[in-house]
């Protein structure tokens, strides 16, 4: 090959190296399309995150993520198979392929992410561990729980955090450990323990939905851990990992751009290139994920942007009335931040 030919070939290689290639469908996406549903692992019932009513309808932040995935991938948010999983079952079910995504108030940790055959995709809720006590105990601080019996569920980061925290404080408590969520609540509300510990959002949910008299219980002010919660997928399928990850990011970016469930269609004609890219009227981001160009548009129309999902399930529009706090957008003092969908 002469010099001119070599230069031409090199230039072509350089161009190809910089040209985005459409993703090929991974094995999970192929299976989801073939079966016509997304198998979603959720909790056995936690108000605001995932719960089922008497008619079999699931609701909550975690379930809306799965509906968004189904809308993006299959064009129908109703094409979800729900699998309620307790703390002991959740990782095994994902590893065994019983679920395509685990969207179940699960904390992202190094051990789980690096050694259990799974990948966490994104953070959908920033939480932390707290303590609930009967109001009549007069306790106003975790420091008053020395030597107390504290109800906690096994197989959770909560159990380890409880021991680590009090060991670091040079204090002792007596954990009362239960395998099932229901058993731990029954024990606490019957007076078996002086306190109950889990994520603060869960404590609010438990007090609101499970306590015989919610006003008889208080949540102490201290938060003793970081609990970033989010969906996880199996290792070994980069295409599916990218789809679930960017679905969450798309819902966060939609809120930042002012795209809502109600106005998504009309904003397709927006002059803003970022809005056009997200809604499929500009650059085709879907082909990089093995999807069509309207993948994010369908998800937003199905479940709303992240802010809408939060307010409906956990915030002002719910019985929990949780403040956005750390879960506000980064532009509003929170931690919710998505890489650009471009």
């Amino acid at each position: 090959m002469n010099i001119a030919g070599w230069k031409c070939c090199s230039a072509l290689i350089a161009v190809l190296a910089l040209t985005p290639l459409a993703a090929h469908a991974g094995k999970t996406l192929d299976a989801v399309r073939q079966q016509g549903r997304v198998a979603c692992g959720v909790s056995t019932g936690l108000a605001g995150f995932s719960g089922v009513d008497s008619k079999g309808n699931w609701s909550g932040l975690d379930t809306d993520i799965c509906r968004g995935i189904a809308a993006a991938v299959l064009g129908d948010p109703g094409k979800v198979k729900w699998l309620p999983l307790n703390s002991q079952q959740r990782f095994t079910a994902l590893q065994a392929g019983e679920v395509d995504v685990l969207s179940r108030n699960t904390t992202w940790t190094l051990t789980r992410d690096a050694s259990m055959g799974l990948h966490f995709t994104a953070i959908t809720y920033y939480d932390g561990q707290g303590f609930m006590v009967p109001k009549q105990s007069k306790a106003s601080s975790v420091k008053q729980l020395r030597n107390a019996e504290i109800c906690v569920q096994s197989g959770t980061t909560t159990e380890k955090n409880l021991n680590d925290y009090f060991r670091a404080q040079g204090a002792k408590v007596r954990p009362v450990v239960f395998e099932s969520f229901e058993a731990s609540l029954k024990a606490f509300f019957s007076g078996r323990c002086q306190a109950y510990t889990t994520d603060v959002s869960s404590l609010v949910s438990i007090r609101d939905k499970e306590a015989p008299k919610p006003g008889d219980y208080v949540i102490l002010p201290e938060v003793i851990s970081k609990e970033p919660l989010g969906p996880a997928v199996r290792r070994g399928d980069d295409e599916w990992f990218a789809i679930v990850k960017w679905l969450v990011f798309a819902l966060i970016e939609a809120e930042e751009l002012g795209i809502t469930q109600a106005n998504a269609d009309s904003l397709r004609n927006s002059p803003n290139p970022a809005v056009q890219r997200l809604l499929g009227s500009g650059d085709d981001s879907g082909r990089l994920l093995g999807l069509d160009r309207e993948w994010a548009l369908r998800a937003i129309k199905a479940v709303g942007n992240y802010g809408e999902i939060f307010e409906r399930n956990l915030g002002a529009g719910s019985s929990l009335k949780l403040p956005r706090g750390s879960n506000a957008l980064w532009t509003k003092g929170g931690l919710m931040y998505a890489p650009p969908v471009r």
Side-chain angles (χ1 to χ4, degrees):
M1 180 182 295
N2 59 32
I3 294 177
W6 173 254
K7 288 182 177 179
C8 178
C9 183
S10 298
L12 178 60
I13 292 172
V15 170
L16 290 174
L18 294 173
T19 302
L21 299 176
H24 68 275
K27 57 186 177 181
T28 305
L29 179 58
D30 283 340
V32 165
R33 284 172 168 163
Q34 183 177 2
Q35 295 164 9
R37 80 326 176 241
V38 176
C40 182
V42 293
S43 74
T44 54
L46 182 62
F49 288 91
S50 56
V52 61
D53 63 19
S54 59
K55 297 181 180 179
N57 299 312
W58 285 85
S59 63
L61 183 149
D62 289 338
T63 60
D64 278 343
I65 296 300
C66 288
R67 285 196 180 89
I69 295 169
V73 172
L74 299 172
D76 185 346
K79 290 185 176 180
V80 181
K81 178 182 179 182
W82 306 105
L83 281 85
L85 302 168
N86 63 31
S87 296
Q88 289 74 33
Q89 297 168 330
R90 54 185 168 173
F91 298 121
T92 302
L94 181 59
Q95 293 159 349
E98 295 173 18
V99 296
D100 302 309
V101 58
L102 180 68
S103 187
R104 185 207 173 282
N105 59 296
T106 298
T107 301
W108 186 345
T109 70
L110 184 151
T111 299
R112 291 172 173 177
D113 193 52
S115 68
M116 299 184 72
L118 53 87
H119 273 309
F120 282 86
T121 56
I123 297 170
T124 53
Y125 190 88
Y126 290 92
D127 212 340
Q129 185 172 331
F131 295 81
M132 180 164 61
V133 298
K135 184 179 290 185
Q136 66 179 15
S137 72
K138 306 296 184 181
S140 59
S141 170
V142 172
K143 295 177 181 179
Q144 295 170 267
L145 297 181
R146 288 171 180 261
N147 300 313
E149 290 184 313
I150 301 177
C151 284
V152 62
Q153 191 179 1
S154 65
T156 62
T157 56
T158 309
E159 181 183 5
K160 295 178 181 179
N161 292 338
L162 175 63
N163 293 318
D164 287 350
Y165 176 78
F166 282 98
R167 185 180 298 116
Q169 302 301 314
K172 292 183 178 180
V173 292
R174 289 172 286 172
V176 182
V177 182
F178 298 87
E179 285 195 7
S180 80
F181 179 64
E182 294 76 13
S184 66
L185 295 184
K186 183 177 180 181
F188 173 65
F189 289 124
S190 68
R192 172 69 179 82
C193 307
Q194 287 80 59
Y196 188 93
T197 185
T198 188
D199 297 346
V200 173
S201 64
S202 296
L203 292 178
V204 175
S205 174
I206 290 166
R207 183 174 62 179
D208 182 67
K209 300 296 183 181
E210 307 293 341
K213 294 182 179 179
D216 289 347
Y217 298 88
V218 296
I219 297 171
L220 300 179
E222 293 93 343
V223 176
I224 69 167
S225 71
K226 296 180 292 185
E227 305 294 328
L229 312 179
V233 296
R234 282 183 301 285
R235 280 183 179 265
D237 191 331
D238 290 345
E239 289 75 24
W240 186 248
F241 174 50
I243 287 170
V244 176
K245 173 173 59 178
W246 283 99
L247 181 281
V248 175
F249 291 154
L251 298 177
I252 295 171
E253 179 136 315
E255 181 183 7
E256 184 174 343
L257 294 171
I259 305 170
T260 68
Q261 194 171 25
N263 69 19
D265 270 328
S266 63
L267 285 181
R268 294 196 69 202
N269 297 319
S270 168
N272 186 334
V275 173
Q276 292 177 10
R277 280 193 295 271
L278 188 60
L279 299 181
S281 56
D283 296 340
D284 184 3
S285 62
R287 71 188 183 91
L288 304 177
L289 298 170
L291 305 176
D292 66 16
R293 66 188 312 127
E294 295 187 349
W295 65 280
L297 172 65
R298 288 193 298 275
I300 297 164
K301 288 173 63 176
V303 298
N305 64 41
Y306 177 81
E308 291 178 288
I309 293 171
F310 184 99
E311 294 304 324
R312 177 171 64 245
N313 295 300
L314 299 166
S318 75
S319 62
L320 302 180
K321 310 297 182 187
L322 287 171
R324 284 289 293 269
S326 296
N327 295 291
L329 291 177
W330 66 285
T331 54
K332 297 182 178 179
L335 298 174
M336 278 297 164
Y337 186 106
V341 178
R342 64 178 306 153

